[in-house]
Amino acid sequence: MVRFAVVLGGGGYAGTAFHAGVVTALARAGWDARRAAVVVGTSAGATSAALIGAGFPPREYVALVMAEPLSGEAATVMSGMGRLSAAPRMPRPRLRPAAPALAARALRHPRSLPIGVLLAAATPAGTVDVSSVSPGFGSRFDTWPAQPVWITAVDLLMGQRAVFGRTHRATIPQAVAASVAIPGYFTPVVIDGVPYVDGGAWSANNADLVIEADLDLVFVSAPSSTRDPWAADAANALRIPIRRQLQREVAALRATGKSVVVFAPDRALRSVIGVNSMALHRRRPIALATQASAGRLLAAAGLADRR
């Protein structure tokens, strides 16, 4: 039996739609994410990871984004959950860094922390409450899933990566809120006295977390990365650093003998995603286009129709 992991990276509302397409394509090819040995969720991927852990049927992720009728099993998981809300405009920023002591330490030792953590510490704390855009969570999310689900965030006191479900404890709603708290926009989420922000400040995907896991195959859904090292579209330029970061993580995984399949937007898919990852109206076309793209990639890799 093939032991596989599913890694779901950051990417805003566009990212959740991208993950819906990937997870649905995987399920149609015979790779049910609920049977993964471990699921890792960062930022946008944290919500999808929570749904997987709650048992939401993977074949219906695109249907969920499309607001189509769901099966009884899917509806049970979704019961009690609200809807995503459009993100409000950027409020007037505060002047004080979110984590002055951590920022000072990072400036004294600039190579001691990822650049994203340094920026998160030095940027004034956001003023938008994550709960204002969250869909909320129903009763199926009251306990942590039995399936290994790891949700990442960054501890603003120590400047370290927190992995809820593995090394850190929280409820699913708390962990997801912390993981999606974009620095400078959302207010840090405080859990047991510790402020946390978006896990993407450490790594957009955090695929390296499964290096030591006993796995044969790792699927990485990377909506903020790109399949093109060079491309004329301006949106691709911002994706290159994330691609390079992910390449390092993938190389480390492959060095341990694991096979890795990365789903990242090509130029056609980037044109569907656009430049605003928080645009709710693009979620439907993104989910459909990603499902088609992921299906083609799985077929090309000989990983389709696994029954």
Side-chain angles (χ1 to χ4, degrees), residues 13-31:
Y13 290 163
T16 60
F18 188 93
H19 295 321
V22 168
V23 171
T24 299
L26 284 171
R28 291 181 179 277
W31 302 93

Side-chain angles (χ1 to χ4, degrees), residues 277-301:
S277 66
M278 300 300 284
L280 276 172
H281 71 280
R282 287 184 176 267
R283 282 167 46 84
R284 293 185 180 188
I286 291 170
L288 287 173
T290 303
Q291 180 183 344
S293 176
R296 290 191 296 270
L297 193 153
L298 288 167

Side-chain angles (χ1 to χ4, degrees), residues 122-150:
T123 301
T127 56
V128 176
D129 192 319
V130 171
S131 64
S132 68
V133 298
S134 170
F137 288 89
S139 60
R140 289 289 289 266
F141 300 85
D142 288 344
T143 57
W144 201 271
Q147 176 189 26
V149 172
W150 299 346

Side-chain angles (χ1 to χ4, degrees), residues 16-292:
T16 60
F18 188 93
H19 295 321
V22 168
V23 171
T24 299
L26 284 171
R28 291 181 179 277
W31 302 93
D32 187 322
R34 294 172 298 184
R35 296 200 302 267
V38 61
V39 177
V40 178
T42 295
S43 196
T47 303
S48 299
L51 283 173
I52 291 169
F56 187 86
R59 282 178 172 264
E60 298 187 63
Y61 272 64
V62 169
L64 176 64
V65 171
M66 299 288 290
E68 295 176 350
L70 301 175
S71 68
E73 181 183 16
T76 298
V77 174
M78 297 303 295
S79 92
M81 289 188 68
R83 295 181 178 273
L84 284 173
S85 300
R89 290 183 178 181
M90 178 72 75
R92 180 175 296 177
R94 298 167 176 167
L95 298 179
R96 186 172 182 268
L102 179 60
R105 191 187 95 198
L107 288 172
R108 288 195 302 270
H109 307 283
R111 295 188 179 182
S112 63
L113 294 173
I115 184 64
V117 177
L118 169 58
L119 293 174
T123 301
T127 56
V128 176
D129 192 319
V130 171
S131 64
S132 68
V133 298
S134 170
F137 288 89
S139 60
R140 289 289 289 266
F141 300 85
D142 288 344
T143 57
W144 201 271
Q147 176 189 26
V149 172
W150 299 346
I151 293 176
T152 70
V154 169
D155 171 348
L156 273 186
L157 291 183
M158 303 302 295
Q160 296 300 307
R161 175 169 58 186
V163 186
F164 296 104
R166 191 182 75 163
T167 57
H168 291 66
R169 306 182 86 178
T171 65
I172 281 285
Q174 285 175 327
V176 172
S179 191
V180 304
I182 301 170
Y185 185 81
F186 289 118
T187 303
V189 174
V190 179
I191 303 172
D192 293 333
V194 178
Y196 294 95
V197 292
D198 195 326
W202 186 274
S203 165
N205 297 284
N206 290 290
D208 61 305
L209 283 175
V210 300
I211 284 176
E212 296 182 3
D214 180 17
L215 300 167
D216 304 297
L217 176 61
V218 180
F219 294 111
V220 183
S221 179
S224 296
S225 185
T226 175
R227 292 180 63 181
D228 304 315
W230 305 102
D233 54 309
N236 197 58
L238 298 176
R239 296 172 175 271
I240 295 299
I242 294 173
R243 172 188 163 91
R244 290 173 178 162
Q245 181 187 62
L246 180 57
Q247 283 179 318
R248 291 192 293 271
E249 295 175 358
V250 169
L253 288 168
R254 288 176 174 156
T256 66
K258 298 175 178 64
S259 297
V260 184
V261 176
V262 175
F263 302 95
D266 58 12
R267 183 166 186 170
L269 194 46
R270 291 195 304 275
S271 69
V272 177
I273 294 172
V275 296
N276 181 8
S277 66
M278 300 300 284
L280 276 172
H281 71 280
R282 287 184 176 267
R283 282 167 46 84
R284 293 185 180 188
I286 291 170
L288 287 173
T290 303
Q291 180 183 344

